[in-house]
Amino acid sequence: MQGQALPGFRDSYPEELAFRNSIFATWREVARRYGFQEYDGPPLEPLELYTEKSGEEIVQQLYAFEDKGGRKVALRPEMTPTLARMVGARAQALKKPIRWFSIPQLFRYERQQRGRLREHFQLNMDIIGEAGPLADAELIAATIDIMRAFGFGPTDVQARVSDRRVLRTLLLGSGLTEAQLPTAFEVIDKSERVPGEALAEILSKVGIGQREATIVFEVAKLRSIETVSAALAKVKGGDEAGESLRTVIAALGTMGLSEFVAVDLTIVRGLAYYTGIVFELFDRGKELRAICGGGRYDNLIREIAGVDLPCVGFGMGDVVLGELLAEQRKRVEASGQLDAFLVAVGGEDVAPVLQLAAGLRDRGIAVEYALRNQPIRKQLELAAARGASRAVIIGPDERKAKVAVVRDLKTGKQRKVALTKVRKGVFQ
Ligand code: HAM
């Protein structure tokens, strides 16, 4: 007996798949509204695509192995390096800015917990070839519009936006050294989850003194574009470093999305390649992990494909979003609604039923019939269980009269309809 799927992997029964497909449909619909084209890449990639560019965290979570040809390969844990390679390979030919989206299944060997599995599907939307902050604003707006399309409002979800350049400038301007930055970023990232003393200890280990530590904690607490701008005004290059963030926040305001957006410098993001604006979307209760995350990564295509192209994008998984949807509304009905269930009264009616089924299916009408000789009662039971709206009953008398009995399975009412009509899918 092979009892269960692997930990962190899902069997998708029809209702679950219908639910997932409804998520995909909304993702595709919003991506279309934003003028994005869909692409895909291979689920298995050369290991080195991830080991150098994505950063420690994701590398530790790789499903990596050697294939039968001795190549080191990995199941894709994220889509961004594949996208960078694909765009890099055709960089000249593609019209910029490129707006592409994809819904890959991704694999990460994570500790399984709420909102975290070992496989998930992730909508990726990326804009490539545009360095200006309106591209960043466009993608943050898209994440919000996706949530709006699912029926969520600003009391349900919030986009938290930061900029690594702002963090760098504030921290370097306050006396931290370049070498201390990664640790300061780590502490800022954890500042809402880990007690202050533990964080202070992490800082002191890399030689960040009391005064600088206080600055790190103050930076982590900045929560508006005004306070961030005021802090930036006090350090060298501050004004320039804050320009993108200011433009993004203003643009989102112009789009009428301010209520959904907060400046929050504790958003640092785990992946190594981000270079500027970074953002994450959370449920307001902050009970779940990030619904989506992304940011600007202007150097990745150069590192992977040797072409200079600025990029910004995000990934939104189906797991956290699915939990949020399940919490707030009912699950989606499984599709596969039948238009009619064909009932053969006796053995000699089976051939006419097969013929009728073939003809109706050719016309795009969804029909099913019993795959073995069964009493009418059994056939009608199956028809009801399948959710068919009607049964079309064919017996010797009906065939002689060139009619079928069409029975409405909701009301139980039935009537005779000419076979010539039924064959065309007209059931009344
Ligand atoms: P990420 O933050 O690693 O970013 O993942 C984005 C989203 O995918 C998360 O916010 C979460 O919803 C979902 N996710 C990630 N890991 C899991 C998991 N183990 N189980 C369930 N859901 C998960 C990226 O992957 C970037 N490549 C996104 C990006 C695209 N940046 C620029 N373009």
Side-chain angles (χ1 to χ4, degrees):
M1 291 280 278
Q2 303 288 309
Q4 282 176 342
L6 287 168
F9 285 77
R10 296 169 288 180
D11 289 328
S12 299
Y13 287 86
E15 309 80 58
E16 288 142 2
L17 195 63
F19 182 59
R20 180 204 293 168
N21 282 340
S22 75
I23 292 179
F24 288 8
T26 303
W27 280 349
R28 287 202 166 91
E29 165 52 22
V30 178
R32 184 195 63 78
R33 277 193 237 157
Y34 276 74
F36 278 63
Q37 288 179 296
E38 189 163 0
Y39 71 98
D40 199 3
L44 195 66
E45 289 277 22
L47 176 63
E48 65 186 22
L49 192 60
Y50 309 108
T51 44
E52 272 141 53
K53 314 295 181 294
S54 297
E56 247 337 271
E57 195 177 309
I58 232 168
V59 169
Q60 283 169 7
Q61 297 168 344
L62 282 176
Y63 275 91
F65 56 96
E66 207 166 276
D67 76 4
K68 288 180 180 166
R71 295 174 202 89
K72 288 189 170 14
V73 295
L75 285 172
R76 59 185 174 194
E78 58 156 338
M79 196 59 173
T80 315
T82 300
L83 172 67
R85 183 194 62 223
M86 287 171 64
V87 170
R90 301 218 178 144
Q92 294 298 322
L94 295 165
K95 178 80 189 143
K96 266 71 79 185
I98 297 159
R99 292 167 173 257
W100 279 7
F101 82 98
S102 190
I103 309 181
Q105 188 174 23
L106 306 178
F107 304 88
R108 299 182 187 180
Y109 196 86
E110 297 218 44
R111 200 160 52 81
Q112 197 189 333
Q113 51 189 298
R114 190 167 183 217
R116 279 285 176 277
L117 298 175
R118 290 182 175 167
E119 54 78 22
H120 71 284
F121 288 86
Q122 193 189 81
L123 168 70
N124 278 246
M125 288 176 74
D126 294 84
I127 296 179
I128 298 155
E130 178 50 64
L134 281 189
D136 309 55
E138 178 93 332
L139 286 170
I140 297 169
T143 69
I144 295 169
D145 276 343
I146 289 167
M147 298 316 283
R148 291 176 63 222
F150 283 115
F152 295 111
T155 53
D156 304 310
V157 291
Q158 187 178 48
R160 294 154 75 185
V161 187
S162 177
D163 190 328
R164 284 193 177 179
R165 286 163 298 191
V166 168
L167 270 186
R168 273 181 65 84
T169 308
L170 285 175
L171 296 173
L172 291 175
S174 313
L176 269 78
T177 64
E178 188 78 43
Q180 291 168 335
L181 278 189
T183 310
F185 275 26
E186 181 196 334
V187 163
I188 289 173
D189 179 39
K190 291 182 175 157
S191 63
E192 285 197 341
R193 288 166 278 144
V194 177
E197 294 125 52
L199 296 175
E201 208 176 304
I202 300 177
L203 290 174
S204 75
K205 269 195 190 138
V206 293
I208 298 177
Q210 195 93 56
R211 192 189 73 85
E212 285 84 10
T214 311
I215 290 164
V216 171
F217 293 129
E218 273 171 12
V219 165
K221 286 201 199 99
L222 298 173
R223 283 291 177 284
S224 71
I225 195 65
E226 292 77 20
T227 50
V228 169
S229 294
L232 280 169
K234 293 183 203 147
V235 297
K236 190 166 151 260
D239 251 2
E240 202 193 327
E243 212 171 289
S244 268
L245 189 60
R246 272 193 294 275
T247 309
V248 166
I249 298 299
L252 290 167
T254 308
M255 295 176 198
L257 299 175
S258 288
E259 282 181 304
F260 284 95
V261 182
V263 170
D264 185 340
L265 299 188
T266 64
I267 302 300
V268 176
R269 310 261 313 125
L271 293 156
Y273 46 65
Y274 293 111
T275 53
I277 295 277
V278 280
F279 55 91
E280 288 183 344
L281 202 75
F282 286 89
D283 62 301
R284 280 278 184 173
K286 286 196 199 162
E287 276 172 27
L288 303 167
R289 310 192 55 159
I291 302 161
C292 104
R296 181 163 281 285
Y297 53 103
D298 285 346
N299 303 328
L300 190 65
I301 300 196
R302 181 170 5 98
E303 285 163 11
I304 286 180
V307 188
D308 236 329
L309 274 176
C311 309
V312 52
F314 70 82
M316 179 185 291
D318 66 329
V319 181
V320 179
L321 176 62
E323 292 212 8
L324 205 59
L325 284 167
E327 245 173 41
Q328 307 232 345
R329 59 203 61 224
K330 50 189 179 330
R331 294 188 84 85
V332 177
E333 286 282 309
S335 61
Q337 289 290 331
L338 282 181
D339 296 309
F341 193 101
L342 311 187
V343 174
V345 173
E348 67 282 16
D349 301 308
V350 170
V353 158
L354 291 184
Q355 238 172 24
L356 180 59
L360 289 172
R361 286 170 175 164
D362 273 351
R363 288 175 181 268
I365 295 163
V367 299
E368 188 185 331
Y369 50 83
L371 295 175
R372 57 163 64 205
N373 238 334
Q374 277 182 335
I376 298 178
R377 183 182 49 81
K378 281 261 174 207
Q379 297 184 54
L380 288 174
E381 262 173 34
L382 184 55
R386 289 287 200 259
S389 50
R390 62 180 72 83
V392 175
I393 302 161
I394 296 196
D397 296 345
E398 285 76 24
R399 279 190 288 123
K400 210 173 288 163
K402 295 190 167 40
V403 294
V405 172
V406 177
R407 177 173 179 145
D408 185 317
L409 290 174
K410 285 220 176 68
T411 62
K413 280 190 189 145
Q414 56 183 45
R415 63 200 300 183
K416 287 187 175 131
V417 180
L419 265 177
T420 48
K421 282 171 85 181
V422 170
R423 283 197 192 100
K424 290 183 188 144
V426 181
F427 296 111
Q428 46 196 334

